[in-house]
Amino acid sequence: MRKRFIIAIDGPSGAGKSTTARLLAKRMGYIYVDTGAMYRAIAWKAKEKGIDVKDESSLERLGKETEIEIRLISGEERIFIDNMDASNYIRTPEIGMLSSKVSAATCVRKRLLELQRQFGKEGGAVLEGRDIGTVVFPDADIKFFLDADVKERGRRRYSELKAKGLDIKIEDTTEDIRKRDHNDTKRDIAPLCIAEDAIVIDSTGLDAEGVVKKMLNEISKKQVKAKTPHLNPLPIGERK
Ligand code: DC
């Protein structure tokens, strides 16, 4: 077992993975890797170039020639595509749906798998996505599967997009989530599923702090069991 853990968080859209993973990484002093943002980056670039997401050979070329980086700017992770900050362009419902389609392409998954393994290889990382505990890091030190009721996930996505000023309906965001659940769980390669050794957390009725508290509790148990030097992941004010 590594001294600085690799922490995998998988789960469906809208379960709260990004918020909790970011918070958890901060508490642990680890890096946070949003793997969905990488699929979104490829989807965004495909759209910009007018590439059909079903055209595997064009996608393969695109994947090879696209440089994806995560840079920490003023304490916030930003996604750079070919040296340009694309963070504000990739969070739309359209790119969400396109990325779900792009992520079914073997060539894209192969390219991003290498990149994701690079980010996590030293440990001290919280990676969040759909296949982290099953494919990217099957030997992760601890795996969480974060789930929530589909209506609750639709409501959360609706509030998020509404706060950004988008003119949307809650029925549409919920339907969008259902479609993405279908795409992400039914695809042939690396479908979303619960790893055998994952700890399942249902976030319906819990806020991000509540979820992170549960995660930190499980991590502490693992650390004690592994006799790793205790990292005391609690923020300074809460330390005993
Ligand atoms: O988490 P997200 O909504 O930003 O992810 C966008 C899409 O990317 C999602 O619908 C499925 C895909 N994805 C994936 O297939 N594997 C991952 N590890 C992360 C995301």
Side-chain angles (χ1 to χ4, degrees):
M1 190 170 278
R2 302 162 185 91
K3 278 189 185 164
R4 284 167 60 76
F5 284 1
I6 290 178
I7 301 175
I9 305 180
D10 290 304
S13 305
K17 300 185 301 296
S18 304
T19 316
T20 49
R22 188 177 290 117
L23 200 58
L24 182 65
K26 212 169 245 171
R27 295 280 163 85
M28 303 282 297
Y30 283 12
I31 60 160
Y32 161 58
V33 185
D34 175 358
T35 63
M38 298 177 186
Y39 288 96
R40 285 173 182 266
I42 300 282
W44 178 76
K45 194 164 164 188
K47 186 188 163 234
E48 289 295 292
K49 293 202 153 223
I51 291 172
D52 180 353
V53 290
K54 289 194 202 101
D55 177 356
E56 283 243 3
S57 57
S58 297
L59 275 184
E60 184 165 14
R61 218 172 314 119
L62 185 80
K64 277 187 187 147
E65 67 185 30
T66 304
E67 202 190 325
I68 302 175
E69 289 171 275
I70 300 174
R71 295 188 198 162
L72 202 63
I73 295 175
S74 309
E76 194 193 328
E77 302 79 13
R78 309 286 298 178
I79 185 116
F80 278 72
I81 306 168
D82 303 325
N83 231 4
M84 188 203 99
D85 186 352
S87 316
N88 296 341
Y89 307 122
I90 62 169
R91 302 271 163 218
T92 64
E94 185 193 7
I95 299 298
M97 192 55 78
L98 267 185
S99 63
S100 184
K101 290 180 181 158
V102 157
S103 68
T106 310
C107 57
V108 173
R109 297 209 77 86
K110 215 170 131 204
R111 155 87 170 91
L112 293 184
L113 180 68
E114 284 166 28
L115 201 61
Q116 291 158 9
R117 286 193 174 146
Q118 282 297 322
F119 278 118
K121 70 179 194 308
E122 307 289 345
V126 179
L127 293 103
E128 163 269 289
R130 302 293 188 289
D131 61 340
I132 310 300
T134 50
V135 177
V136 184
F137 284 108
D139 69 335
D141 300 283
I142 190 156
K143 301 177 186 177
F144 295 105
F145 189 92
L146 194 59
D147 206 352
D149 177 77
V150 71
K151 282 198 178 145
E152 169 66 10
R153 291 190 281 126
R155 194 194 56 74
R156 284 180 194 166
R157 190 50 51 85
Y158 170 78
S159 310
E160 199 183 291
L161 296 172
K162 204 76 188 158
K164 283 186 187 167
L166 266 78
D167 181 22
I168 35 148
K169 291 200 203 94
I170 192 157
E171 303 81 51
D172 294 342
T173 56
T174 309
E175 190 45 34
D176 226 59
I177 292 236
R178 278 189 214 279
K179 277 192 197 140
R180 284 178 59 196
D181 281 358
H182 178 85
N183 291 349
D184 297 345
T185 53
K186 302 290 179 215
R187 66 177 177 231
D188 293 335
I189 176 166
L192 170 68
C193 61
I194 307 177
E196 242 173 51
D197 47 351
I199 298 159
V200 179
I201 299 177
D202 186 342
S203 74
T204 319
L206 282 177
D207 62 6
E209 280 290 345
V211 174
V212 169
K213 204 170 159 195
K214 276 182 185 260
M215 288 177 168
L216 286 171
N217 193 25
E218 296 293 341
I219 292 165
S220 292
K221 282 196 249 167
K222 276 260 172 181
Q223 286 171 331
V224 169
K225 223 171 170 183
K227 295 194 179 67
T228 48
H230 208 71
L231 297 172
N232 198 352
L234 294 172
I236 290 163
E238 289 177 31
R239 286 182 192 166
K240 299 237 162 72

